[in-house]
């Protein structure tokens, strides 16, 4: 079917319509055999475990509500909405996978409106306008207009997007030729309308930047930087190449004639890269600021040109220029200023002295220095959001706007003797006008990744190499929510319970912490300090079972002897248990209380209108009560409707608390073990079938059950189970993200909560806790107070919604490779930076800028300035670093001499020596474009287990770049350029035993199994070779018919390899069973040697069993299990910092279910930015044998009626579909 596939693929006009059907037909292949319900062929389920954190562009506006300042961020193929909270922390409000590539973002607001629209330019060939729907808590499409073909093409618009500041029109432009202008307006019902596109094309013109000029309510004008590259009469340079000139062009939209007019304003500097629009329409003089190397120029039609020099760092070499990389315009009444950032991270404040429409002076001054950014956004709430190019994204608060006496460059400055405009020199300084408030993890770019349980923890650790140059780091990722420890205080014993209460329900923060011991209760008052008090009214000589603030601002303490009701002015009422009975369990909400006595008697109390706690009913149960809880009181009601009781006979009963049938059993559920703890969770903030009342049950066997409770009848349904650990989960009620949640305390804590309308059950990255309660104070609005052994701890959750947390260790150079040394279990890292010298030598190099660090500074000054050290091509700064995996401390940093760089490393044990060695491939004075080098070698190191130091044994010269190394049957395989060489150990150097020279380009990856060698070529995909010991030769016997630019590879079995190419594709290549047997049945190798394939290729061909377009370049693939008892998955790390899991589906039933669900989701929930889902996942090759779990998981965000429709077609309920989706993800994390 290869010819059919290619013919169908080339017909791009019909591809979007046929893609979905075509992909489904490919999945039902004739070679898929089902044996006993299990698949022989591979079928994968692809799911995103952690989204990419790299940012391509960011814009700010009021999207969800008026006067609520937010930032819309593009992560390439995902759209995210961020909002700073009251404490200045960055909170993710909304995240959505768009199944396409977002190329540009822009915001606009219609005249008279108070909320912003978001325009998205993507690879869909469509312009999409989004509006935030607060009911759905999501962006929804308002308009979608098709203008061209899909894909990121040079002549298809989408790369540049600009809007008129008054919201009347927008322009979407391509890199070359095509530009469309759309008129935006309202209809009779005040709904947004968009016109047909108006063409503004110009052939043979390349666009560098587009902005919308502020012209008030005159005709909208778009300013464009263009280059004419097609003219025949262009002037020539001395070398004969054309001399291109950049021009500033205005495209004016004639609203009356509905026509776009092109007008060339004039030539601009050839290095111009950016346009900054100047406010107009009474708020400013209008015009644009043209940014070029070392200068800013104010341009306006009919206005004189004003030029100002950009301030420069004092230590910057003269041959190096300064460019503006990004900007943000801030407007206030009667004033505005522009904040621009240079490529080195220096923030500049640009102001204009103007009157009417005339500009008298253009001024620029140095403000502060932060990390280089791709986008900066000034929010009217006083924050600056900086989307960093490398390093964590940051949120700053303005402490000033540079209104001091620091020097500034001016367009009025007189020329120097040479006739040039003088500039201001400055030294970077610690933050003065900005205060760092919060940081957001950014793992981009990720260069390599390993998954190992080196530290012997319950779950393996993910070691990722992130960043570059001075922002390089080693990050250790662990499953679970990040937890910040705010305070730790010792206690006089081991408590058996902890609670927090307020003085009044209207209070924002808690007033007391109540700690219960075996024979006493300790009450702590929360103020500026936490102190013990004795006049709280609580009974202190008995242990407490629960403490709650009731609806009338009175306090209720439950203890084994009864209840104590503490009312205003310390009026105390006690209820004592009858006879010798004691209270064993108690459940209390803000208006009801139920106590369980020894013997199984239940007594129900309710808060009366007079403020008394009145007994309403009693009930005898056949046995003791194991656990108990009361449902929360719904808003506008006087009581909760249900009581849940767990018994030691492994049953859970739901009883009614309505006056008409009080204490009557409504439902009974049998469970696998006695329920140790029970807790209701209000899911009224959920979406679709996740909305309602749920009952969480912690069983003694370590399983947590989550059951839906019918709000009318109390019936139990849709039970979901999750094993948390060997210890029985103890359930504690908390608040997370302002909503009710449950903390399950097992071997480690687990949080059951709602985030963005979806339910999540995630472990906390913290040690085991015994008891916990919610905690709210001025410093910690949503915290946890917990008991761990004999200590009281105050914790705060970080980054809800994330399933992984990270620990960071900074590095010196850009990390290239990571390895776990098998004998000592230490981490070995390769670091290298081109055109850079060693850090210890930087001080000696004249004319270079050394990295600056502020030592012993305050929190606002603890910054590290970006390095701008650059030397000649071919010079490298590189080292081999040994890191302790427990503390992440550097044990050894071996600097490579003679300007060498290391690119490959592996563990190797030679058969003549049982010693574990490290083989490192190095290159001397390597340069790119063209790729030349002076020398290369394979070095052998020994890691001393006592001193943790590296000892060089010997170095073996080679004649090519060692891109890859791998052990092979007691020898060493080296991919040296387009050759594969087999080395053995010698006394003074490695001994070459065998060489294979027929590689197409270069061996980027090597792996082996038995006598087979699996080679990943730089351009030709996977090659399979076999080593014949008798002949001492390597023979190629299989290759792939598809060209693949291999970036990472993973060996799966004797016939199968998984890989990722540089275009964002994940694939699995397999050798047919018949071909594999044919190779193995050839003992002499004669068939391989003399048989030739088509077009001089290998005699056998691999076929791609799995094909899936991820959308991000995968840099590493690992086969691992991320939790005890979990499913083994293929874990992939992308260059943007994302983690992707490819889960094997074991049965045909699962394949059919998820395939049908995926098909329905494509129809009912098309991608947000207009790209066809099947076309996106088949961007380079038709998707095959891989189901998109990200699309399937969007089922949870659909309306309940749509969920019912899809579930009905699948012969299931919405709850069963959600449970299936949760179960398959729970097998991984």
């Amino acid at each position: 079917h290869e010819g059919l596939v290619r013919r169908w693929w080339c017909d791009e006009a019909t591809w979007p319509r046929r893609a979905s059907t075509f992909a489904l037909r490919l999945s039902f292949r004739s070679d898929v055999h089902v044996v006993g319900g299990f698949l022989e062929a591979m079928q994968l389920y692809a799911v995103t475990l952690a989204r990419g954190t790299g940012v391509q562009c960011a814009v700010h506006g009021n999207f969800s509500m008026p006067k609520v300042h937010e930032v819309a961020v593009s992560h390439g193929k995902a759209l995210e909405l961020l909002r700073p909270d009251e404490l200045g922390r960055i909170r993710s409000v909304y995240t959505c996978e768009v199944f396409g590539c977002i190329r540009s973002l822009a915001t606009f607001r219609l005249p008279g409106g108070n909320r912003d629209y978001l325009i998205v330019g993507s690879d869909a060939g469509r312009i999409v306008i989004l509006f935030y729907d607060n009911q759905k808590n999501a962006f929804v499409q308002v308009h979608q207009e098709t203008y061209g073909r899909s894909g990121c093409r040079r002549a298809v618009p989408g790369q540049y997007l600009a809007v008129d500041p008054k919201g009347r029109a927008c322009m979407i432009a391509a890199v070359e030729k095509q530009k469309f202008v759309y008129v935006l307006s309202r209809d009779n019902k005040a709904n947004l309308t968009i016109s047909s596109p108006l063409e503004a094309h110009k052939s043979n013109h390349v666009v560098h930047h587009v902005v919308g000029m502020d012209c008030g309510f005159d005709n909208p004008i778009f300013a464009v930087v263009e280059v004419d590259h097609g003219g025949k009469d262009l002037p020539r340079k001395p070398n004969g190449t054309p001399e291109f000139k950049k021009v500033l062009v205005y495209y004016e939209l004639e609203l009356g004639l509905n026509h776009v007019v092109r007008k060339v304003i004039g030539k601009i500097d050839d290095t111009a890269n950016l346009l900054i629009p100047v406010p107009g329409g009474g708020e400013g003089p209008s015009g644009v600021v043209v940014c070029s190397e070392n200068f800013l120029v104010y341009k306006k039609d009919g206005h004189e040109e004003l030029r100002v020099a950009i301030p420069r760092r004092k230590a910057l070499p003269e041959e190096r220029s300064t460019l503006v990389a990004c900007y943000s315009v801030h407007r206030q009444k009667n004033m505005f200023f522009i904040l621009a950032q240079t490529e080195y991270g220096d923030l500049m404040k640009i102001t204009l002295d103007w009157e009417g429409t005339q500009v008298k002076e253009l001024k620029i001054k140095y403000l502060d220095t932060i990390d280089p950014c791709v986008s900066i956004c000034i929010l009217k709430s006083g924050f600056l959001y900086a989307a960093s190019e490398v390093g964590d994204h940051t949120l700053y608060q303005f402490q000033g706007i540079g209104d001091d006496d620091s020097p500034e460059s001016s367009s009025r400055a007189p020329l120097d003797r040479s006739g040039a405009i003088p500039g201001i020199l400055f030294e970077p300084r610690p933050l003065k006008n900005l205060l760092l408030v919060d940081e957001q993890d950014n793992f981009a770019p990720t260069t390599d990744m390993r998954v190992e349980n080196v530290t012997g923890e319950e779950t393996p650790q993910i070691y990722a190499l992130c960043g570059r140059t001075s922002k390089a780091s080693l990050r250790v990722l662990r499953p679970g929510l990040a937890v910040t420890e705010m305070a730790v205080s010792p206690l006089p014993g081991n408590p058996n319970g902890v609670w927090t209460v307020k003085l009044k329900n209207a209070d924002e923060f808690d007033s007391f912490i109540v700690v219960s011991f075996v024979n006493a209760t300790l009450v702590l008052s929360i103020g500026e300090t936490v102190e013990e008090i004795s006049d709280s009214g609580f009974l202190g000589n008995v242990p407490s079972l629960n403490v709650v603030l009731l609806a009338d601002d009175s306090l209720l303490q439950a203890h084994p002897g009864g209840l104590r009701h503490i009312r205003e002015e310390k009026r105390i009422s006690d209820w004592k248990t009858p006879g010798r009975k004691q209270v064993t369990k108690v459940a209390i909400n803000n208006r009801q209380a139920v106590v369980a006595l020894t013997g199984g008697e239940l007594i129900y109390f309710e808060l009366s209108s007079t403020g008394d706690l009145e007994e309403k009913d009693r009930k005898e149960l056949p046995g003791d009560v194991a656990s108990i809880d009361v449902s929360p009181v719904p808003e506008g009601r006087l009581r909760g409707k249900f009581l849940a009781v767990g018994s030691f006979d492994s049953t859970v009963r739901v009883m009614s608390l309505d006056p008409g049938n009080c204490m009557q059993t409504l439902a009974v559920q049998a469970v696998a073990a006695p329920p140790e703890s029970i807790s209701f969770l209000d899911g009224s903030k959920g979406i679709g079938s996740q909305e309602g009342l749920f009952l969480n049950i912690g069983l003694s066997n370590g399983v947590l059950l989550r059951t839906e409770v019918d709000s009318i009848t109390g019936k139990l349904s849709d039970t979901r189970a999750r094993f948390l650990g060997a210890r029985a989960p103890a359930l504690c009620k908390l608040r997370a993200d302002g909503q009710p949640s449950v903390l399950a305390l097992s071997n480690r804590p687990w949080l059951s909560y709602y985030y963005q309308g979806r339910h999540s059950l995630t472990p906390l990255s913290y040690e085991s806790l015994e008891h916990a309660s919610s905690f709210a104070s001025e410093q910690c609005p949503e915290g946890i107070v917990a008991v761990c052994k004999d200590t009281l701890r105050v914790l705060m959750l970080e980054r809800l919604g994330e399933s992984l947390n990270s620990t960071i260790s900074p590095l010196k150079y850009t990390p290239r490779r990571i390895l776990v040394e098998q004998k000592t279990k230490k981490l070995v890292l390769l670091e290298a930076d081109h055109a850079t010298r060693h850090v210890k030598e930087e001080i000696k190099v004249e004319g270079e800028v050394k990295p600056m660090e502020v030592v012993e500074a305050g929190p606002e000054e603890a910054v590290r300035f970006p390095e701008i050290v650059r030397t000649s091509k071919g010079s490298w700064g590189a080292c081999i670093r040994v890191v302790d995996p427990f503390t992440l401390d550097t044990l050894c940093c071996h600097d490579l001499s003679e300007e060498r760089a290391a690119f490959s490393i592996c563990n190797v044990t030679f058969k003549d020596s049982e010693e574990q060695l490290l083989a490192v491939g190095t290159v001397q004075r390597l340069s790119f474009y063209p790729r030349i080098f002076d020398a290369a070698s394979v070095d052998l190191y020994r890691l001393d287990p006592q001193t943790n130091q590296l000892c060089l044994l010997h170095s073996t010269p080679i004649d090519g770049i060692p891109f890859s190394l791998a052990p092979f049957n007691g020898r060493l395989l080296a991919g040296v350029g387009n050759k594969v060489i087999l080395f053995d150990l010698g006394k003074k150097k490695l001994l070459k035993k065998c060489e294979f020279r027929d590689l197409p380009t270069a061996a980027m990856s090597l792996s082996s199994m038995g006598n087979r060698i699996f080679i990943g070529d730089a351009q030709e995909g996977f090659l399979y070779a076999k080593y014949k010991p008798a002949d001492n030769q390597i023979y190629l016997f299989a290759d792939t018919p598809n060209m693949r630019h291999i970036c990472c590879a993973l060996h799966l079995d004797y016939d199968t390899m998984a890989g990722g190419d540089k275009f964002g594709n994940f694939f699995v290549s397999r050798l047919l069973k018949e071909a594999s047997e044919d190779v193995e049945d050839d003992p002499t190798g004669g068939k391989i040697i003399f048989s030739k394939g088509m077009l001089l290729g290998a005699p056998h061909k691999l076929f791609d069993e799995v094909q899936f377009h991820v959308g991000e370049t995968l840099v590493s693939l690992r086969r691992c299990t991320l939790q005890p008892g979990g499913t083994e998955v293929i874990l992939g790390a992308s260059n943007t910092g994302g983690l992707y899991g490819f889960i094997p589906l074991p049965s045909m039933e699962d394949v059919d279910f998820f395939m049908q669900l995926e098909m329905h989701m494509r129809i009912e929930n098309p991608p947000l930015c207009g790209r066809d889902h099947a076309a996106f996942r088949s961007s380079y090759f038709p998707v095959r044998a891989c189901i998109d779990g990200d699309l399937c998981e969007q089922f949870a965000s659909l309306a309940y009626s749509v969920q019912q429709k899809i579930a009905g077609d699948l012969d299931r309920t919405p709850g069963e579909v959600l449970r299936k989706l949760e179960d398959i993800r729970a097998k991984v994390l």
Side-chain angles (χ1 to χ4, degrees), residues 621-627 645-653 668-675:
L621 295 181
D624 285 341
V625 174
S627 53
V645 180
S647 302
F648 287 103
D649 59 356
S650 300
T651 58
V652 176
R653 293 177 174 84
V668 179
Q669 179 172 340
V671 292

Side-chain angles (χ1 to χ4, degrees), residues 271-273 291-294 310 321-325 341-344:
T271 61
N273 68 309
C291 303
S292 57
E293 285 186 359
N294 301 322
I310 301 174
S321 59
T322 301
L323 275 174
V324 173
Q341 189 187 44
T342 67
E343 56 187 317
Y344 308 123

Side-chain angles (χ1 to χ4, degrees), residues 108-121:
F108 74 94
R109 181 180 299 186
L110 293 175
N114 55 10
R115 291 173 62 187
D116 293 315
Y117 291 86
L118 181 67
I119 307 180
V120 181

